[in-house]
Amino acid sequence: MSTELNLVLLGPPGSGKGTQGERLQEDLQLPYWATGDILRAAVRDETELGKAAKEFMDRGDLVPDDVIVGAIAERLDSADGFILDGFPRTVPQAEALAAKLEELGRRLTAVLLIDASDEEVMRRLGGRRTCTENGHVFHVDFNPPEREGVCDIDGSELVVRDDDEPEVIRHRLGTYHEKTEPLIDFYDHQSLLRRIDGGAAPDAVAGELRRSLATLKLEAGEAI
């Protein structure tokens, strides 16, 4: 394994991948790409990617492979190491990612599975509120804003995203179990998978992620 870190965060919606991805980005100084954010920005800006993705996202369905693979491939061309959150979500997407990395003479370092129960996901996502201006995220229980319905950071309105509505959350979980969970075995068979308890507190999850990366360092015999 080279010292370049190419990481994938895997887990159900609401498991904390975004929170931990941002922490890893700061710790490791790597590009962090949350594909949901990429797609939501494209929808907001009404780009061709956004127009193609919007109808699928509003239903809680996965965006078709050709749409999302193209968006990710553009970024891989210019990155020296990365953290991917929300991609791949299917085995065909994982195969497309592997093919793209092979084309670039690179490979994945590890897949970090942050797992959480369906019940915990419903509680987390059902209470999430997102600001309309810049996407800052609050939670009615865990991280409430100082003023209800108003973002502490930029003063914009806090709303429930369409994909955080209860019926959409349940649909997203069903899609995750059907389409994305097979990636656990897919990457486990390649000895790339590292399992993390996403039901723990964020600081505990972050500590477990650091220990997993330290283990990778020992296994590789290189500095990470």
Side-chain angles (χ1 to χ4, degrees), residues 59-60 118 121-123 125-129 160-174:
R59 294 197 304 266
D118 287 6
V121 167
M122 292 295 296
R123 186 167 71 100
L125 296 188
R128 194 161 65 175
R129 302 294 182 267
V160 179
R161 284 187 346 210
D162 289 343
D163 56 354
D164 286 340
E165 295 287 355
E167 64 275 13
V168 178
I169 297 170
R170 284 189 285 270
H171 183 77
R172 292 172 68 195
L173 281 168

Side-chain angles (χ1 to χ4, degrees), residues 76-155:
L76 292 179
D77 285 332
S78 59
D80 184 17
F82 56 78
I83 304 165
L84 279 176
D85 170 6
F87 181 89
R89 290 191 178 184
T90 66
V91 170
Q93 287 183 2
E95 292 169 342
L97 174 60
K100 180 63 178 178
L101 289 173
E102 184 176 4
E103 176 187 322
L104 296 171
R106 299 155 63 183
R107 62 187 179 92
L108 282 182
T109 307
V111 176
L112 305 169
L113 171 62
I114 304 175
D115 209 1
S117 69
D118 287 6
E119 293 76 16
E120 181 67 12
V121 167
M122 292 295 296
R123 186 167 71 100
R124 291 180 181 182
L125 296 188
R128 194 161 65 175
R129 302 294 182 267
T130 305
C131 87
T132 56
E133 188 65 30
N134 293 297
H136 301 121
V137 179
F138 296 82
H139 195 281
V140 295
D141 295 322
F142 308 133
N143 180 33
E146 293 182 4
R147 290 168 36 195
E148 185 177 352
V150 179
C151 177
D152 293 348
I153 300 171
D154 58 34

